[in-house]
Amino acid sequence: MLSICIPHYNFKNPALFESLLLQCESVPIKFEILIADDASITANKSYLEAFTQPTFKIFFLKDNIGRSAIRNFLAKKAQYPNLLFLDADAEITTKDFIAKYIEHFGTKIISGGRIYSNQQPKLNYLLHYKYGSQVEQYANKQFQSNNFLVPNSVFPKLSFDESIKGYGYEDVIFGLDAKKHGLELIRVDNPVKHIQLKSNEVFILDTEHALQNLIKLIKSKKHIDLEQQIHISEFYGKLKRFRLTFLLSIQQDIVLKKTKELMILNTFFGATVLLALYKLYYYHSLQKH
């Protein structure tokens, strides 16, 4: 028995829900597909009203509650023993996507991962695409929440940290909490394709917001080993121990300005290298304040 939980926000993707319905109907299980819209504009959510089959449960929230809270909301509404969380900007690319997850019903948390298209987008969306296709889809160290299976009995012990507002690190914290509870996290080859790309400007803003969240989480000391679990904070810690962070203060504003301009304009090679450089300098600027 399976509850598919999908947080939805301002992205029209009916093909995802149609694919899930077809696959679930082709296997011998009871299922439900729960979609919670997090206060999208009317033009981007009204299409959900067309999914009138009894297996669909659609929730339209009046106020935006955020990435963590909406996942917790969906888990509370789910009735079956297995929860499959998917982001609403996913595309199912295999015919046995649901069948593969059924094989893993049990007590473990199973992450299926994500992939990106082989076709490059327009220049203004290239930064997100390059980071996603060159870095993110191969990042196996941290838990990813875009596509994972978790037992309903386990989820209340964890939940997503609703103190984390906006974009960034709520999935990493969920994974770390799972490990603290002695729960096993397993990565399997069952990815979905990420199809919603952010513009270069929006992607940089989200990156900055994520780093702001990371600083707050580290300073809160709620997660003692967090700093060692994240590559950028771990690397910065090494620079700090060797008293080398002063190097990042040299022409810091100029470096931030120029790398940001290059990433937005896309007149460059090595987008992921520039992004890594920008993140390190931006992280240093947050530390100083």
Side-chain angles (χ1 to χ4, degrees):
M1 295 187 286
L2 178 66
S3 296
I4 302 176
C5 302
I6 305 173
H8 180 277
Y9 182 67
N10 276 333
F11 185 70
K12 297 168 71 172
N13 190 16
L16 170 64
F17 312 125
E18 292 162 1
S19 297
L20 290 170
L21 179 62
L22 285 172
Q23 288 206 16
C24 287
E25 287 178 339
S26 70
V27 290
I29 59 166
K30 290 183 178 180
F31 69 94
E32 60 180 354
I33 301 173
L34 296 85
I35 306 168
D37 179 79
D38 203 6
S40 300
I41 62 172
T42 301
N44 288 335
K45 66 181 176 182
S46 58
Y47 80 99
L48 294 172
E49 296 172 356
F51 293 95
T52 57
Q53 297 93 329
T55 50
F56 282 98
K57 295 180 181 178
I58 316 292
F59 305 93
F60 293 100
L61 306 187
K62 293 181 179 180
D63 300 306
N64 184 279
I65 61 175
R67 297 162 59 87
S68 293
I70 200 164
R71 290 188 175 97
N72 295 340
F73 171 85
L74 284 163
K76 290 174 183 176
K77 296 293 184 181
Q79 64 173 317
Y80 291 137
N82 301 283
L83 308 180
L84 173 58
F85 281 88
L86 292 172
D87 283 356
D89 56 5
E91 178 185 336
I92 307 299
T93 61
T94 59
K95 294 181 179 180
D96 60 348
F97 176 76
I98 293 297
K100 277 188 176 181
Y101 269 130
I102 291 174
E103 296 173 3
H104 293 283
F105 283 178
T107 59
K108 300 171 184 176
I109 300 174
I110 311 293
S111 176
R114 59 160 66 90
I115 56 174
Y116 282 75
S117 171
N118 291 325
Q119 184 176 355
Q120 287 196 9
K122 295 178 181 178
L123 288 178
N124 196 38
Y125 295 87
L126 199 57
L127 181 61
H128 186 181
Y129 173 78
K130 285 197 170 186
Y131 179 79
S133 60
Q134 295 176 9
V135 178
E136 195 175 47
Q137 77 177 35
Y138 300 108
N140 297 323
K141 184 179 178 181
Q142 274 95 33
F143 172 77
Q144 295 177 336
S145 61
N146 69 299
N147 169 25
F148 75 100
L149 182 75
V150 57
N152 201 342
S153 59
V154 164
F155 191 89
K157 300 175 185 177
L158 305 172
S159 297
F160 282 88
D161 187 344
E162 296 185 19
S163 70
I164 302 173
K165 304 299 181 184
Y167 179 84
Y169 291 101
E170 72 282 349
D171 48 356
V172 174
I173 296 302
F174 184 90
L176 292 176
D177 285 346
K179 290 178 181 178
K180 288 177 183 176
H181 281 83
L183 299 169
E184 192 172 0
L185 284 82
I186 295 178
R187 186 71 172 262
V188 299
D189 184 23
N190 199 23
V192 294
K193 184 184 291 184
H194 186 93
I195 59 174
Q196 183 187 22
L197 294 177
K198 298 168 184 173
S199 69
N200 300 339
E201 295 91 337
V202 171
F203 187 74
I204 292 170
L205 284 173
D206 278 353
T207 298
E208 292 173 351
H209 198 152
L211 291 174
Q212 292 165 21
N213 274 347
L214 177 58
I215 291 287
K216 290 176 184 176
L217 287 164
I218 290 172
K219 289 184 176 179
S220 73
K221 299 188 184 302
K222 288 172 62 178
H223 309 276
I224 298 173
D225 56 348
L226 177 61
E227 193 168 4
Q228 287 71 47
Q229 296 291 328
I230 309 299
H231 177 70
I232 188 168
S233 53
E234 180 190 28
F235 181 71
Y236 187 85
K238 290 179 180 177
L239 291 178
K240 196 172 182 179
R241 285 195 296 276
F242 288 104
R243 299 182 180 181
L244 294 174
T245 55
F246 75 92
L247 295 171
L248 300 174
S249 297
I250 299 172
Q251 295 189 320
Q252 173 186 290
D253 293 340
I254 294 175
V255 174
L256 285 170
K257 182 175 182 291
K258 292 299 182 182
T259 52
K260 190 171 187 177
E261 287 176 354
L262 285 171
M263 287 188 291
I264 290 173
L265 293 173
N266 264 293
T267 56
F268 61 90
F269 296 98
T272 55
V273 175
L274 273 179
L275 181 62
L277 181 67
Y278 183 82
K279 288 169 68 173
L280 182 60
Y281 272 83
Y282 189 79
Y283 186 83
H284 177 64
S285 72
L286 294 176
Q287 289 280 2
K288 289 170 64 179
H289 294 92

